[in-house]
Structure formats: structure tokens, C-alpha cells
Amino acid sequence: MDLFSFTECANQTHSLRALFELLVGCATKEGFSEVAYGALNFVEPLRLAEYPPPTVAVKWPPDWCDRYFKRKYHTIDPVVRRTPMLTRPFLWDQLADHYQLRPDERRVLDEAREAGLKHGMSVPLFGPLGRISVVSFASAFDDADPQDRIGHLKALAWQFHTAYGDIARPCDNGCERKVALSQREISCMRWVAEGKSSWEIGKILGISYNTVNFHVKNAMRKLDATSRIQAVAIAIRLNVL
């Protein structure tokens, strides 16, 4: 399922459980069947009742789920602790290379791997008023390569996060946003949605790298997005693309 298909299906649900199951299904097709969504510095208005904060929705092996929550591992989990410091998706296997992890942090990663969460990656998600959320993906397979799928998983995470916001904080018709992008901005954003870089888009459209960045930044500003992927997710959600 591509990003547009995911968005179309997400638009048809008003249930967090159904939306999360859709995300898990898409991630599983990418080889990453273990998924978690959490709110790190605020209380989410909507969460699955069986999971305590900061988790909103989880699909983990049951034994690991029980151990994680009973032992309150979120207080020492290096993924939870490091997410606010990072702006890009990161691989769990690389955390130890970039940070001086404490023994208890290493233990959480080791136990997670033993429980079946292998080669994980996480996507930091930033919202209004300094809100920070995170979507994490992990595989049950030893040979999984999150680096190879990082772009698609990042796009799915942002689209899920955007759709979740619509379900958790619905607004009346009076606050429906109307965003008008120029034809050139739409063309650039469509290629961004396909995973193309500014250099590649410039070659495709016959314009300079700087001109592509100009149009993409304009689109991001109009869509009130902090990243290209978030801008794509919002644009698709609003039927702009």
C-alpha cells in the first residue's frame, strides 16, 4: 500500500484502533510488524485503554509488553529518552554509537531484541506547543534492514500521526483548512511524495535546485508543516495532492 492509498483508507476511519491496525498492516508489508506510538511530553486525549502513558497504541509480543509496562521501562528506555533530542528518524542499533548509553538503557535494548524486536527504528514527531510523539517500528527477522525502508516508514508515521490528530481532536466545519498551492508547488510536492530529492526534482521539472527548494518551502509554510514529509501528509489529507 502506497502513501496515497494509506491516506485514503485512513480518511475513512474514525477509530484509533482501526487506524493503528492499518499502520501495523502497512508496516508489516515492509517487514516491520512490531509497532508502537507514544506521546512523550503530554497526555494524549485518545489512547487504547490497555496501555498506560506514555504509550498510545502498541503491537508488541505480549510477554515483552507485560514486562515493559510492569517494570516501567519507559523511564529508562533510550528510545524514549533520546527522541526529544533528535529531529530525524534513527536506528536503535546506532544509539550506542552516538550516545554513552547507561547499563540499564542497554539492558532495555538487549531485552527487546531477545523478545523479538530486532533492528528497530523510531520517527520523532513534533507538534504544536512543543508536543513530542514518536512512532517506532521493529522487525521479528534477523536480516531486516530498516535503513532500506526508512523513507517509507517515516512517511507512514507522519501520515498516521496526522490522521490520529484528526480523530483525537476533531474540529467543526468552520475550522476546515483551505490551502491553495500553486501548480509548481503541487508538482514539486508530488515528486517529494515519491521520495525524490530537490536535485532529482529539478532535473525532472527542468528547474534549478534552489527553485525547487523555494517552491517546497512555500508549500510547507502554507501547510504549516515543519518537514517535507509532514507537508506531504497534510497535503494528501487535505486533498491538495
Side-chain angles (χ1 to χ4, degrees):
M1 179 180 290
D2 60 26
L3 185 60
F4 290 93
S5 299
F6 178 89
T7 303
E8 184 177 353
C9 292
N11 282 341
Q12 296 174 8
T13 181
H14 300 286
S15 159
L16 170 58
R17 189 175 298 278
L19 180 65
F20 185 67
E21 288 175 355
L22 179 65
L23 175 66
V24 171
C26 291
T28 298
K29 291 180 180 178
E30 299 287 334
F32 293 83
S33 59
E34 309 309 312
V35 185
Y37 177 54
L40 303 189
N41 64 344
F42 65 104
V43 177
E44 282 285 56
L46 177 67
R47 65 174 61 251
L48 297 185
E50 58 265 41
Y51 303 115
T55 306
V56 175
V58 173
K59 192 274 178 183
W60 282 340
D63 290 346
W64 173 243
C65 227
D66 289 343
R67 185 192 315 175
Y68 189 93
F69 292 122
K70 285 180 179 178
R71 299 185 180 182
K72 298 183 179 179
Y73 273 177
H74 67 274
T75 61
I76 57 173
D77 186 343
V79 172
V80 174
R81 291 169 59 90
R82 309 298 171 174
T83 289
M85 307 175 189
L86 301 168
T87 58
R88 298 176 180 273
F90 59 92
L91 308 185
W92 298 356
D93 293 342
Q94 294 178 353
L95 279 175
D97 298 334
H98 295 89
Y99 296 97
Q100 194 79 23
L101 296 185
R102 302 180 331 199
D104 55 356
E105 293 178 313
R106 290 178 179 273
R107 187 178 77 247
V108 171
L109 291 180
D110 290 342
E111 290 185 15
R113 193 176 299 110
E114 292 171 2
L117 278 72
K118 304 171 183 177
H119 304 296
M121 65 156 287
S122 295
V123 183
L125 304 164
F126 299 94
L129 304 176
R131 291 177 173 178
I132 303 173
S133 302
V134 61
V135 173
S136 294
F137 304 93
S139 177
F141 303 107
D142 290 321
D143 59 350
D145 183 6
Q147 187 67 61
D148 184 54
R149 312 308 302 163
I150 198 166
H152 197 186
L153 292 174
K154 176 185 177 183
L156 285 174
W158 267 110
Q159 184 56 50
F160 169 84
H161 184 58
T162 301
Y164 169 84
D166 288 347
I167 294 174
R169 291 172 289 275
C171 65
D172 56 36
N173 291 333
C175 67
E176 283 291 330
R177 279 201 289 163
K178 301 295 182 182
V179 177
L181 300 184
S182 70
Q183 284 303 310
R184 185 61 88 183
E185 289 164 356
I186 290 173
S187 296
C188 289
M189 294 307 297
R190 283 191 180 277
W191 286 113
V192 169
E194 295 293 332
K196 301 297 184 182
S197 67
S198 290
W199 183 86
E200 291 172 320
I201 296 170
K203 290 297 182 182
I204 293 169
L205 298 180
I207 57 179
S208 72
Y209 167 91
N210 288 334
T211 301
V212 173
N213 283 339
F214 172 78
H215 290 304
V216 170
K217 287 179 180 178
N218 274 346
M220 289 171 57
R221 175 180 53 78
K222 291 178 181 179
L223 294 163
D224 194 24
T226 58
S227 72
R228 292 183 171 207
I229 292 298
Q230 185 186 19
V232 169
I234 295 171
I236 294 173
R237 191 83 176 157
L238 296 176
N239 293 318
V240 176
L241 294 185

